[in-house]
Amino acid sequence: MLITGICSWSQDSLAVAKSSTMSINEKEILVDNSIIKPLKFNPEYKKSYQSSDFIYDVKIAEKGIWDRFLNWLSFWFKKIFGLPDMDVSGKYVNLTLKTIAILIIVYVIYSIVKLILNKEGQWIFGKSTAQKILKYDDIELNLKHIDFENLIKDTLKSGEKRLAIRYYYLWLLKKMSEKNVIDWNPEKTNSDYLYEIKNESIRNDFGYVSYLYNYIWYGEFDLDEITFEKAKKTFEKTLQSIS
């Protein structure tokens, strides 16, 4: 009976403890009674993921004609000069192309400056200047058909004394050619004509007026009235001696 009582007491104690434990656990359970709403997706949601931050596929850019040309040059530089790799060869190619570009720019600048300084570039300074240069050349090429006396008068009316001295010089060449003192040619120099003159007096006069002409025409300085009058008289005297 003792054993039976003990077993009975033990079962009752376990039942009470189990019942007590179950009641505590039920009180601690929190029940979510909120209503679950279905999620709605924006049909245009893909537009929000089109920036570069969401692109994970790396695309290799195709090489253009210039890039292929550079690679071709690098290959031949490497092969011809025995360079260690394509990177070093590419650096030499870039340096070579930059050097060529600089040389081209320098040449273009040089050509422009040369055009400005020469007759071909006179158009830059205006139409009237170009017309004068053309007029000078036409007069020299058609020396035998020019009325220098009236031409010099018109030139002096406009105050161009240096130009008048040039016309005096061309007039003298025309006179000497007409008198067979010289064989006129626009390609000849003063020295060429000087050696052709056989008359010593005329040769000395021509040598002096040639000096005056070079000094005044190519000197590019302001010609004062006194110097002009002296040169004018010398040219007129020489012209009279030829006649």
Side-chain angles (χ1 to χ4, degrees), residues 118-217:
N118 291 340
K119 292 181 179 180
E120 291 80 356
Q122 294 296 330
W123 57 270
I124 295 175
F125 301 104
K127 185 177 179 181
S128 59
T129 304
Q131 288 177 341
K132 287 182 179 180
I133 296 295
L134 182 61
K135 186 177 179 181
Y136 302 159
D137 293 341
D138 285 344
I139 289 174
E140 189 170 352
L141 293 174
N142 299 280
L143 202 64
K144 296 180 180 180
H145 307 290
I146 303 299
D147 182 0
F148 282 102
E149 187 172 1
N150 289 323
L151 182 61
I152 290 172
K153 288 180 181 178
D154 294 338
T155 304
L156 290 177
K157 287 179 182 179
S158 61
E160 297 179 272
K161 297 183 182 68
R162 290 177 63 249
L163 182 57
I165 294 298
R166 175 174 174 80
Y167 289 153
Y168 268 118
Y169 174 74
L170 295 177
W171 188 9
L172 180 58
L173 292 180
K174 176 184 176 181
K175 282 285 186 180
M176 291 194 298
S177 177
E178 290 174 347
K179 298 297 181 178
N180 296 319
V181 177
I182 62 170
D183 182 16
W184 176 79
N185 189 309
E187 300 297 327
K188 288 184 178 181
T189 64
N190 295 345
S191 299
D192 294 331
Y193 292 130
L194 196 62
Y195 286 121
E196 292 181 15
I197 301 174
K198 296 179 181 180
N199 186 292
E200 184 177 356
S201 177
I202 297 176
R203 183 167 61 249
N204 291 335
D205 290 342
F206 179 76
Y208 181 63
V209 295
S210 296
Y211 162 76
L212 290 177
Y213 166 70
N214 290 332
Y215 175 75
I216 294 173
W217 179 249

Side-chain angles (χ1 to χ4, degrees), residues 214-229:
N214 290 332
Y215 175 75
I216 294 173
W217 179 249
Y218 296 106
E220 296 184 359
F221 56 87
D222 293 333
L223 183 61
D224 58 76
E225 189 67 29
I226 297 176
T227 305
F228 171 73
E229 286 297 329

Side-chain angles (χ1 to χ4, degrees), residues 12-171:
D12 292 340
S13 298
L14 290 172
V16 172
K18 184 177 181 181
S19 175
S20 176
T21 303
M22 292 296 294
S23 65
I24 292 172
N25 291 337
E26 288 177 356
K27 289 179 179 180
E28 292 179 351
I29 295 174
L30 297 178
V31 180
D32 186 3
N33 295 323
S34 61
I35 300 173
I36 300 174
K37 297 181 179 180
L39 295 176
K40 293 183 179 181
F41 291 95
N42 185 354
E44 298 182 354
Y45 72 94
K46 292 184 179 180
K47 294 182 179 180
S48 301
Y49 300 93
Q50 292 181 353
S51 66
S52 58
D53 295 335
F54 297 96
I55 297 176
Y56 303 102
D57 295 333
V58 180
K59 295 182 179 180
I60 301 175
E62 295 183 1
K63 292 184 178 181
I65 296 176
W66 178 249
D67 292 328
R68 291 198 295 270
F69 173 70
L70 292 179
N71 286 340
W72 178 79
L73 277 181
S74 299
F75 169 77
W76 282 106
F77 264 60
K78 179 177 178 295
K79 186 173 182 180
I80 294 172
F81 300 106
L83 300 175
D85 53 50
M86 291 291 287
D87 291 336
V88 176
S89 180
K91 291 180 181 179
Y92 277 98
V93 168
N94 289 331
L95 180 61
T96 302
L97 292 178
K98 288 180 181 179
T99 303
I100 293 174
I102 293 173
L103 291 176
I104 292 174
I105 293 172
V106 171
Y107 176 75
V108 170
I109 295 174
Y110 166 77
S111 300
I112 293 173
V113 172
K114 186 178 179 181
L115 285 175
I116 292 174
L117 297 178
N118 291 340
K119 292 181 179 180
E120 291 80 356
Q122 294 296 330
W123 57 270
I124 295 175
F125 301 104
K127 185 177 179 181
S128 59
T129 304
Q131 288 177 341
K132 287 182 179 180
I133 296 295
L134 182 61
K135 186 177 179 181
Y136 302 159
D137 293 341
D138 285 344
I139 289 174
E140 189 170 352
L141 293 174
N142 299 280
L143 202 64
K144 296 180 180 180
H145 307 290
I146 303 299
D147 182 0
F148 282 102
E149 187 172 1
N150 289 323
L151 182 61
I152 290 172
K153 288 180 181 178
D154 294 338
T155 304
L156 290 177
K157 287 179 182 179
S158 61
E160 297 179 272
K161 297 183 182 68
R162 290 177 63 249
L163 182 57
I165 294 298
R166 175 174 174 80
Y167 289 153
Y168 268 118
Y169 174 74
L170 295 177
W171 188 9

